Amino acid sequence: MIVESLAATAVIFLLIVIVTQVAFVVVARDTAQTAVAAAARRAGRPGSDLGVEAVRLEGELARIMPGASSVSASVESDGIGVTARAAIRWLPPGPDLIPITIHAASTSPLVVPP
């Protein structure tokens, strides 16, 4: 009886760790997606420099995502719109169960002055 209750307790704690890490991943993914979308909108304004926006996005992602160990970002324009992409190697709080790489991308149209 004691062995079964100890095993059940261990399973419960393992499930709590997994559910907590999944919740952290969801929040981190949403945060990264929001930052990438904002970078795409900023880069679509007249006179913006795509290289500066890419560097700004990398710094912003490193700052707002604790545990980000490797951040790479790119901002590209095709003449019609702007696409911002980011890949973040993220270490969640707690035990590092699996390697997590978060990818986020967003597209925004170029703003044309009236």
Side-chain angles (χ1 to χ4, degrees):
M1 185 71 147
I2 293 176
V3 174
E4 290 88 6
S5 64
L6 287 175
T9 303
V11 168
I12 292 293
F13 280 117
L14 183 61
L15 287 175
I16 289 171
V17 168
I18 292 172
V19 167
T20 303
Q21 284 202 347
V22 168
F24 278 128
V25 168
V26 169
V27 170
R29 170 77 169 89
D30 188 48
T31 303
Q33 184 62 40
T34 302
V36 170
R41 287 191 305 271
R42 281 192 309 266
R45 294 182 307 196
S48 63
D49 184 359
L50 300 182
V52 170
E53 287 299 330
V55 170
R56 181 179 175 184
L57 177 59
E58 284 180 2
E60 188 175 323
L61 288 170
R63 200 172 46 254
I64 65 174
M65 294 185 66
S69 62
S70 173
V71 177
S72 64
S74 67
V75 179
E76 302 165 348
S77 175
D78 61 2
I80 298 172
V82 176
T83 302
R85 290 186 175 85
I88 304 107
R89 170 74 172 99
W90 187 65
L91 300 171
D96 191 13
L97 299 177
I98 57 172
I100 298 171
T101 303
I102 298 173
H103 295 278
S106 182
T107 305
S108 180
L110 287 175
V111 176
V112 179

